[in-house]
Amino acid sequence: MPKYARPAHSESVEAAIEAFGNRVRVAILGELRQHGPATRGELAARIDSAEKTVQTHLRTLERLGLVRSDPPPETRKSGQRVRYSANSPEIDVRLEVLVAAVRGQAN
């Protein structure tokens, strides 16, 4: 018997699981949606987590398109203050994908 189960899911379901399958990511998304844009340090304080941990999860959420940053990564300079905001339309799409998968309606 395998140690870990890895059922096959579509790419969109896998992305939704990656986004919402972590407590810190869910907390970050909730904070940004509820209270608006924030820096990494502000988010860390709000969710009572280490700044380095928040940074790691913000990178993942940004890569998944669920969080936007100002300035964006391609124009950012080292040490520059960055504000993050929720990409609510994309979050809603991913949530719908996850709900459909749970209902057995995933594509």
Side-chain angles (χ1 to χ4, degrees):
M1 184 137 118
K3 187 173 182 176
Y4 298 105
R6 296 274 310 171
H9 292 292
S10 70
E11 199 173 300
S12 59
V13 172
E14 288 292 332
I17 292 168
E18 185 177 0
F20 305 121
N22 180 283
R23 288 176 176 87
V24 175
R25 289 187 202 130
V26 169
I28 289 169
L29 292 172
E31 279 296 319
L32 291 174
R33 283 185 73 148
Q34 192 169 34
H35 300 291
T39 65
R40 181 179 68 216
E42 290 167 344
L43 284 167
R46 288 182 195 172
I47 67 169
D48 194 28
S49 185
E51 202 168 323
K52 187 71 173 167
T53 300
V54 170
Q55 178 181 17
T56 299
H57 291 292
L58 281 168
R59 281 189 193 129
T60 299
L61 291 169
E62 193 167 27
R63 178 180 51 78
L64 293 170
L66 301 178
V67 168
R68 295 182 180 135
S69 62
D70 183 30
E74 58 275 4
T75 64
R76 203 175 295 157
K77 294 180 171 98
S78 180
Q80 188 173 13
R81 184 180 171 107
V82 179
R83 293 191 65 75
Y84 295 89
S85 60
N87 183 356
S88 292
E90 188 61 29
I91 292 169
D92 291 341
V93 166
R94 299 287 172 93
L95 285 170
E96 289 173 17
V97 165
L98 192 58
V99 168
V102 170
R103 290 183 176 156
Q105 304 164 344
N107 44 3

